[in-house]
C-alpha cells in the first residue's frame, strides 16, 4: 500500500472519529424523540375493569308488559321487500330471545314502498308493535351539490377494482344514510335509543334484561358485540378527513382515540412524510382500521344528533367520500365514538350471542346461572350448551368453547381503555398488523 493511500485512510478514520460522537447523539436523540411520541398514545391501564357485563347469568324474564319503566327506544331494521325471508328470520330470532318479554316497537325502513306480503309476514313474526316507514328520497340519493355522473363513474370503477360492495350504488346510499341523518327522520324523532337489527342475523343466547335500561343506568351511549378490521380499500382518506376535523376543533386525544391509532415509529421531521399514505393523519400516525361492527349497535340517538357529530358528518359529506370512495357507516360511527365519547360510555355486550354472515360471538353459559326452574325461559328452550367456568351467557345454544370465529385483536384494542387485564399478544400484534 502506497504512502498516499495510507495517509488518505488515516484522514478518513480521523474524520469518522470526529463525526462519531455527533452521530451517536443524533441516534439517541431520535430514539428519545420516538419514545416520547409513541408514549403520547399510551393507553393507561385502569385499576379495575370499567366495562363488565350488566349481568353474568340468566335473570327471570319480566311480565309482559314490564312492571318497571322502560326506556324510550325502538328496534330498527333497514330492509327491502325481497329480503322478506331474511328479515323474518332475524325478527323471529330477537322475538324468541328478547322481545317476547319486552315488547319494544320495531321500525322497518325501506327506500321503496312496502309490499303487503312483507308487512303481513313480518307482523306475524313478532308480538311487538311495528311500523313500516319509507326513507325520504333526499336521504337516499346523491347530495344535491355532487356531480352524479362523476360519482357513478367512481362507483363503477370501485366495483371493477373488486372493492367490497363498492360497485353497488344503493350500498353507498345506505352507508351515507346510516352515517348521516337516519336518526333525524320523522319515524325516529320520538325515540332516544335504538337497536339496529339487520336481516338474516341470529341471536343464540337469551337476553333476559333490558339493554336500554342498563345502558341508561350506567350512562353508556354506544354498545357493540363484534369488532373487526375495516377493509383498507374502502376508505383510504376517511381517517385523514376525520383527524383533520378533530384537529380543527381542538379536540384532545381521548384514550379511546389512542386505542384506535398506531403511533408512527418514524422520527421527526420525517414522520410527517408518512401523512402522504392512506389511513394516516397529518402527523403520520396510522389508524389501525379497528371498528365496531355496526350491523349490531345499541346507541343513544342523542349522541348522533349532537352538534359535534352533526358538524363532523357535514365535514365528511362535503368531502364526497361516501361516493368517490366507499366510506362505511361502521367506520364513521367508530371514529366518531372514539373521538367524542369517554371510554366508560362504550359497552361491549359480551353476554349476547350474535351472528351476522359468518362472523359470530358466542358467550359460554354461566355455571349455575341458567335458572332451570324458570317457566318463562323453559317455554323458549329446555336445553342449552354446556356451562363453562367464567361464562356470562344465558341459555346459549352455541358452543362457548369457541367464543368467536374471528381475530380478537380489534376487540382487545378497542376495549383496552376499560380493561385492567390485557392480553400481551395485542401489543405484539400491533407490530405485525
Amino acid at each position: 500500500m502506497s504512502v498516499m493511500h495510507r495517509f488518505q485512510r488515516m484522514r478518513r478514520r480521523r474524520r469518522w472519529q470526529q463525526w462519531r460522537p455527533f452521530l451517536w447523539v443524533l441516534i439517541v436523540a431520535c430514539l428519545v424523540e420516538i419514545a416520547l411520541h409513541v408514549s403520547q398514545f399510551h393507553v393507561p391501564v385502569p385499576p379495575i375493569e370499567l366495562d363488565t357485563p350488566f349481568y353474568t347469568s340468566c335473570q327471570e324474564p319480566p311480565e309482559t308488559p314490564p312492571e318497571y319503566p322502560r326506556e324510550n327506544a325502538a328496534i330498527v331494521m333497514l330492509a327491502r321487500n325481497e329480503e322478506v325471508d331474511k328479515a323474518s328470520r332475524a325478527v323471529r330470532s330477537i322475538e324468541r330471545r328478547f322481545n317476547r318479554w319486552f315488547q319494544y316497537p320495531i321500525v322497518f325502513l325501506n327506500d321503496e314502498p312496502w309490499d303487503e306480503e312483507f308487512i303481513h309476514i313480518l307482523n306475524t313474526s313478532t308480538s311487538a308493535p311495528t311500523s313500516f316507514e319509507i326513507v325520504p328520497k333526499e336521504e337516499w340519493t346523491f347530495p344535491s351539490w355532487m356531480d352524479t355522473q362523476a360519482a357513478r363513474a367512481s362507483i363503477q370503477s370501485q366495483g371493477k377494482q373488486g372493492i367490497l360492495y363498492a360497485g353497488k350504488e344503493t350500498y353507498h346510499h345506505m352507508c351515507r344514510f346510516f352515517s348521516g341523518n337516519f336518526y333525524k327522520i320523522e319515524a325516529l324523532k320520538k325515540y332516544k335509543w335504538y337497536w339496529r337489527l339487520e336481516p338474516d342475523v341470529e341471536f343464540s343466547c337469551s337476553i333476559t334484561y333490558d339493554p336500554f335500561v342498563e345502558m341508561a343506568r350506567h350512562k353508556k351511549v354506544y354498545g357493540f358485540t363484534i369488532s373487526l378490521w375495516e377493509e383498507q380499500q374502502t376508505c383510504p382518506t376517511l381517517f385523514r378527513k376525520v383527524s383533520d376535523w378533530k384537529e380543527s376543533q381542538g379536540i384532545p386525544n381521548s384514550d379511546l382515540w389512542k386505542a384506535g391509532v398506531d403511533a408512527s415509529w418514524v422520527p421527526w421531521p420525517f414522520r410527517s412524510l408518512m401523512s402522504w399514505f392512506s389511513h394516516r393523519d397529518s402527523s403520520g400516525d396510522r389508524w389501525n382500521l379497528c371498528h365496531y361492527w355496526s350491523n349490531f349497535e345499541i346507541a343513544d340517538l342523542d349522541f348522533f344528533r349532537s352538534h359535534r357529530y352533526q358538524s363532523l358528518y357535514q365535514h365528511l359529506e362535503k368531502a364526497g367520500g361516501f361516493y368517490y370512495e366507499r366510506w362505511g357507516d361502521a367506520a364513521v360511527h367508530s371514529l366518531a365514538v372514539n373521538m367524542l365519547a369517554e371510554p366508560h360510555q362504550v359497552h361491549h355486550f359480551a353476554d349476547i350471542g350474535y351472528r351476522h354472515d359468518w362472523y359470530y360471538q358466542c358467550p359460554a353459559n354461566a355455571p349455575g346461572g341458567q335458572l332451570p326452574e324458570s317457566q318463562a325461559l323453559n317455554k323458549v328452550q329446555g336445553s342449552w350448551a354446556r356451562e363453562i367456568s367464567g361464562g356470562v351467557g344465558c341459555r346459549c345454544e352455541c358452543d362457548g368453547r369457541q367464543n368467536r370465529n374471528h381475530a380478537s385483536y380489534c376487540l382487545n384494542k378497542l376495549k383496552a381503555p376499560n380493561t385492567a387485564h390485557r392480553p400481551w399478544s395485542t401489543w405484539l400484534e400491533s407490530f405485525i398488523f
Side-chain angles (χ1 to χ4, degrees):
M1 182 179 295
S2 68
V3 175
M4 182 60 71
H5 284 168
R6 288 180 180 175
F7 178 73
Q8 290 175 346
R9 188 174 179 181
M10 290 175 63
R11 287 186 62 185
R12 285 196 295 268
R13 191 173 296 170
R14 288 196 190 108
R15 193 175 300 160
W16 162 245
Q17 290 174 347
Q18 291 173 350
W19 281 95
R20 186 162 56 181
F22 172 77
L23 290 174
W24 276 115
V25 169
L26 181 61
I27 291 171
V28 171
C30 285
L31 291 175
V32 170
E33 192 278 334
I34 290 171
L36 290 173
H37 176 73
V38 172
S39 69
Q40 295 177 16
F41 291 88
H42 171 68
V43 178
V45 180
I48 59 172
E49 296 294 323
L50 300 180
D51 180 45
T52 56
F54 295 136
Y55 294 94
T56 56
S57 63
C58 294
Q59 306 299 301
E60 184 62 36
E63 296 295 327
T64 304
E67 297 176 356
Y68 52 86
R70 299 191 308 173
E71 291 297 319
N72 180 20
I75 298 168
V76 180
M77 175 185 283
L78 177 69
R80 307 192 111 177
N81 292 310
E82 58 267 26
E83 295 178 299
V84 59
D85 292 335
K86 293 180 178 180
S88 178
R89 279 198 296 271
V91 170
R92 288 200 304 269
S93 182
I94 200 171
E95 170 79 10
R96 175 174 179 248
R97 290 300 197 170
F98 168 73
N99 216 28
R100 65 189 296 143
W101 301 305
F102 293 91
Q103 297 286 291
Y104 275 103
I106 305 178
V107 179
F108 295 94
L109 301 176
N110 191 351
D111 64 303
E112 299 173 345
W114 290 104
D115 286 346
E116 289 301 320
E117 181 186 15
F118 187 103
I119 295 174
H120 172 72
I121 291 175
L122 270 296
N123 275 332
T124 60
S125 301
T126 180
S127 59
T130 60
S131 63
F132 298 83
E133 311 291 341
I134 300 176
V135 177
K137 288 294 184 184
E138 62 272 18
E139 302 298 344
W140 199 271
T141 187
F142 299 97
S144 58
W145 56 266
M146 182 171 282
D147 183 339
T148 56
Q149 289 186 336
R152 287 193 170 105
S154 178
I155 291 170
Q156 186 177 24
S157 174
Q158 293 171 53
K160 289 179 179 178
Q161 293 174 54
I163 300 174
L164 188 65
Y165 304 131
K168 300 178 179 179
E169 180 179 314
T170 188
Y171 195 87
H172 290 259
H173 292 326
M174 183 271 290
C175 290
R176 174 178 177 253
F177 173 68
F178 270 125
S179 296
N181 295 321
F182 81 95
Y183 34 80
K184 294 172 65 177
I185 66 172
E186 197 63 36
L188 297 182
K189 278 184 178 179
K190 63 183 178 180
Y191 297 111
K192 176 176 172 58
W193 296 90
Y194 102 116
W195 180 338
R196 181 167 168 182
L197 180 68
E198 290 281 306
D200 199 28
V201 302
E202 179 183 9
F203 295 89
S204 54
C205 306
S206 290
I207 307 166
T208 54
Y209 63 91
D210 189 327
F212 298 115
V213 168
E214 297 304 325
M215 290 281 285
R217 180 181 298 161
H218 291 84
K219 301 187 185 322
K220 307 286 186 179
V221 299
Y222 190 85
F224 70 102
T225 54
I226 293 174
S227 179
L228 300 170
W229 282 290
E230 180 60 289
E231 295 285 337
Q232 294 192 49
Q233 290 180 296
T234 62
C235 54
T237 66
L238 173 62
F239 181 63
R240 180 61 180 273
K241 296 297 184 184
V242 173
S243 60
D244 283 351
W245 180 86
K246 172 178 171 290
E247 186 176 345
S248 73
Q249 300 298 306
I251 299 174
N253 289 341
S254 68
D255 288 340
L256 274 175
W257 182 264
K258 294 174 185 177
V261 176
D262 291 334
S264 173
W265 288 78
V266 177
W268 179 89
F270 305 106
R271 186 182 304 124
S272 60
L273 298 177
M274 301 298 292
S275 64
W276 289 94
F277 294 93
S278 60
H279 309 299
R280 303 268 178 173
D281 62 18
S282 60
S283 299
D285 298 306
R286 183 179 183 274
W287 176 34
N288 58 25
L289 298 173
C290 291
H291 69 291
Y292 311 108
W293 214 25
S294 65
N295 49 73
F296 174 105
E297 59 184 10
I298 297 178
D300 183 345
L301 288 168
D302 288 342
F303 173 83
F304 296 114
R305 293 170 179 143
S306 68
H307 172 74
R308 273 192 161 175
Y309 184 88
Q310 286 290 299
S311 176
L312 170 63
Y313 170 70
Q314 291 302 323
H315 174 76
L316 298 179
E317 171 87 329
K318 293 174 184 175
F322 291 110
Y323 295 97
Y324 294 121
E325 295 179 14
R326 203 230 71 190
W327 293 354
D329 56 277
V332 173
H333 286 189
S334 299
L335 290 171
V337 167
N338 288 354
M339 175 172 45
L340 301 175
E342 294 298 324
H344 68 270
Q345 294 179 294
V346 178
H347 180 64
H348 174 228
F349 284 98
D351 58 305
I352 291 183
Y354 177 74
R355 179 201 59 79
H356 178 61
D357 291 339
W358 73 280
Y359 292 111
Y360 67 75
Q361 172 178 275
C362 173
N365 282 318
Q370 303 307 305
L371 298 184
E373 72 283 357
S374 171
Q375 294 184 5
L377 284 172
N378 289 337
K379 289 179 181 179
V380 177
Q381 63 183 125
S383 61
W384 49 90
R386 63 184 295 183
E387 299 170 20
I388 300 174
S389 178
V392 296
C394 174
R395 298 205 178 191
C396 302
E397 294 175 324
C398 55
D399 187 352
R401 289 174 295 182
Q402 184 176 356
N403 190 241
R404 61 185 59 85
N405 64 346
H406 52 278
S408 59
Y409 173 81
C410 281
L411 179 62
N412 293 334
K413 287 289 285 187
L414 295 180
K415 286 183 63 177
N418 289 321
T419 305
H421 303 286
R422 303 174 185 171
W424 65 269
S425 57
T426 304
W427 180 83
L428 177 62
E429 289 169 346
S430 295
F431 290 95
I432 300 174
F433 300 107

